[in-house]
Amino acid sequence: MEEQPKQNIPPAAPSTNRGLILLRNLWRRIENIVFGVVLSLIVLYFVLQMPAIQNWLIHKTTSYLSDELKTTVQIQHIDIAFFDKLILEGFYVEDLKGDTLIYVGQLSAGLSSNFFSILSNKLEFNEISLKNARIQIRRAAGEYDTNLKFLLDYFSSPKDPNKPSKPFAVKIKAKNIFLEDV
């Protein structure tokens, strides 16, 4: 048997190399997480653009609002433009007597921040546009309240008086409100 010549094996790497390797591994993981989040947002955007998903979203939203308000709420079409603009077409709400309370042909709302600010109870609009809107506020003879009162009461009062509610901040820039045939 022949003996193999011994190769020169360098001494163990100093701890700075090990720290550098750990830092590179950490950086790669951070890159992968950021890439995953960005990719998820892009996929979510394209999923929300699919007509089947939009119809499902419209059905769930209108069913929930109709049940909560105990009246008819309808939306014909919804369009979400990359989480900063929302367009509703054919938005319809009946009053408690079955008459038309609100009909908006097209409601367009541009968000100043992003769609995810809703999670922190903040919503800021940089533009609101109404086209072909009809709002019919009536007060029946002998009644004190208008047909809009139930809607205002629903959105202004907390559901559970024992549970403290977090305030929801809504801000609209008044100079960017556009009305057409209202």
Side-chain angles (χ1 to χ4, degrees):
M1 253 192 194
E2 289 182 29
E3 283 191 36
Q4 303 244 344
K6 293 185 177 180
Q7 296 178 357
N8 289 338
I9 300 174
S15 64
T16 56
N17 286 345
R18 187 171 187 186
L20 189 60
I21 290 171
L22 289 174
L23 189 60
R24 283 184 191 160
N25 287 339
L26 178 65
W27 181 250
R28 285 186 186 140
R29 288 182 188 213
I30 291 172
E31 284 178 336
N32 289 339
I33 290 170
V34 169
F35 177 75
V37 168
V38 169
L39 185 63
S40 297
L41 289 174
I42 291 170
V43 167
L44 180 62
Y45 171 74
F46 284 111
V47 166
L48 287 175
Q49 297 305 312
M50 297 170 58
I53 300 298
Q54 289 178 354
N55 289 334
W56 177 82
L57 186 62
I58 289 170
H59 175 71
K60 288 293 183 185
T61 303
T62 56
S63 294
Y64 174 78
L65 286 174
S66 293
D67 289 344
E68 285 289 310
L69 297 173
K70 296 171 183 43
T71 189
T72 302
V73 177
Q74 296 176 347
I75 301 171
Q76 290 176 354
H77 181 72
I78 188 171
D79 185 21
I80 301 171
F82 208 65
F83 305 112
D84 67 347
K85 190 163 190 172
L86 175 70
I87 300 171
L88 297 177
E89 293 177 358
F91 179 66
Y92 171 78
V93 179
E94 287 182 355
D95 63 13
L96 294 176
K97 295 181 181 178
D99 294 330
T100 300
L101 177 62
I102 301 170
Y103 175 79
V104 180
Q106 184 181 54
L107 177 125
S108 173
L111 298 172
S112 292
S113 51
N114 62 28
F115 188 73
F116 298 106
S117 64
I118 292 174
L119 300 176
S120 61
N121 289 348
K122 296 177 186 173
L123 200 54
E124 185 174 328
F125 296 102
N126 60 7
E127 178 183 321
I128 299 275
S129 174
L130 289 174
K131 293 181 182 177
N132 303 324
R134 302 290 179 262
I135 301 172
Q136 298 181 22
I137 301 173
R138 296 184 184 133
R139 182 179 337 174
E143 290 185 9
Y144 179 74
D145 295 326
T146 65
N147 60 346
L148 186 62
K149 179 83 166 104
F150 81 98
L151 197 58
L152 296 174
D153 288 344
Y154 176 79
F155 287 108
S156 65
S157 63
K159 306 300 178 253
D160 184 4
N162 298 329
K163 181 181 174 187
S165 63
K166 293 181 181 177
F168 196 90
V170 177
K171 183 178 179 182
I172 301 172
K173 294 183 180 178
K175 63 182 178 180
N176 295 329
I177 297 177
F178 304 101
L179 306 174
E180 182 180 318
D181 190 24
V182 175

